[in-house]
Amino acid sequence: NIVGSAGYRFVDTEKFVLGAMLQHNSSSLFSPVSYVWPEENENLPDKATRKRSDTRLAVYGSHDFGIGKLAAEIGYHYGNFNYYGVNQNMVSNYGKIPTQHLNDLRLNIGWSAEMERYELSYNVAVNYNYFGYANGYEYDMKTISDVKTQKENRLTLSGCVDKRIKGGSSVGINAV
């Protein structure tokens, strides 16, 4: 079992920031069959082992141009796990314990600025996200079969305008 996070800022000045981060979490767990599905012990392997892993890597940066700030981040998340509680009859027919892998890619870029004269601040951003499973399964209580996987692409545009009011508060509107 491993849990860890690390980050590093390659550049960190008043006007420019560039950094990277890595996060990882993985675990495995042995469970006696009676713990998984006690009513179906005869259909399960002698032991079930759960395996799970998540890793995320990102690079980010920003630059302050004086009239506003441009910021961007690109990140990738990879995850995998197995279906450790699957009925043994299903595994025998399929030939192995099924596994799942997922890919998650994100790209964000945005501009933020203030208009001091009018006590306004605003930002606009474009975000792209891809999310997809590597394996698709269809099953009943006797068999497992491969099917086409789910994948998603999402592109969003967002923005916000804030007006400062007395006491350090602000009133704003957000749109996505």
Side-chain angles (χ1 to χ4, degrees):
N1 297 336
I2 299 172
V3 175
S5 296
Y8 187 76
R9 286 220 172 145
F10 304 105
V11 179
D12 190 2
T13 68
E14 187 176 320
K15 296 278 187 183
F16 185 69
V17 172
L18 178 65
M21 55 84 67
L22 171 69
Q23 293 178 318
H24 178 78
N25 181 7
S26 61
S27 64
S28 59
L29 171 70
F30 166 75
S31 296
V33 172
S34 60
Y35 179 77
V36 181
W37 279 350
E39 67 278 3
E40 296 186 12
N41 281 341
E42 69 278 0
N43 294 325
L44 289 172
D46 294 335
K47 57 189 168 210
T49 302
R50 179 190 73 182
K51 295 178 182 175
R52 184 179 65 80
S53 176
D54 281 302
T55 302
R56 183 172 191 275
L57 174 65
V59 177
Y60 60 91
S62 66
H63 183 73
D64 188 339
F65 290 92
I67 59 169
K69 182 186 280 188
L70 180 66
E73 177 182 355
I74 185 166
Y76 175 71
H77 167 239
Y78 173 77
N80 65 36
F81 58 92
N82 66 341
Y83 295 96
Y84 65 97
V86 171
N87 181 299
Q88 182 60 34
N89 289 335
M90 294 165 60
V91 171
S92 297
N93 292 332
Y94 188 68
K96 62 182 180 179
I97 293 177
T99 60
Q100 187 58 265
H101 306 274
L102 65 93
N103 294 288
D104 184 12
L105 174 68
R106 295 173 188 230
L107 174 61
N108 307 317
I109 187 164
W111 175 263
S112 60
E114 292 193 24
M115 300 171 69
E116 290 294 331
R117 179 178 175 187
Y118 302 104
E119 296 185 335
L120 287 174
S121 62
Y122 68 93
N123 66 59
V124 293
V126 176
N127 304 293
Y128 170 75
N129 183 241
Y130 167 83
F131 184 88
Y133 287 109
N135 306 313
Y137 301 105
E138 188 172 84
Y139 60 92
D140 56 31
M141 291 312 288
K142 295 181 182 172
T143 61
I144 301 173
S145 56
D146 295 321
V147 296
K148 188 175 178 179
T149 63
Q150 299 281 332
K151 295 185 176 22
E152 177 181 309
N153 288 286
R154 174 184 260 182
L155 183 65
T156 58
L157 176 63
S158 61
C160 174
V161 176
D162 288 322
K163 169 74 171 148
R164 285 188 299 281
I165 56 176
K166 294 179 182 178
S169 299
S170 65
V171 174
I173 186 166
N174 297 321
V176 176

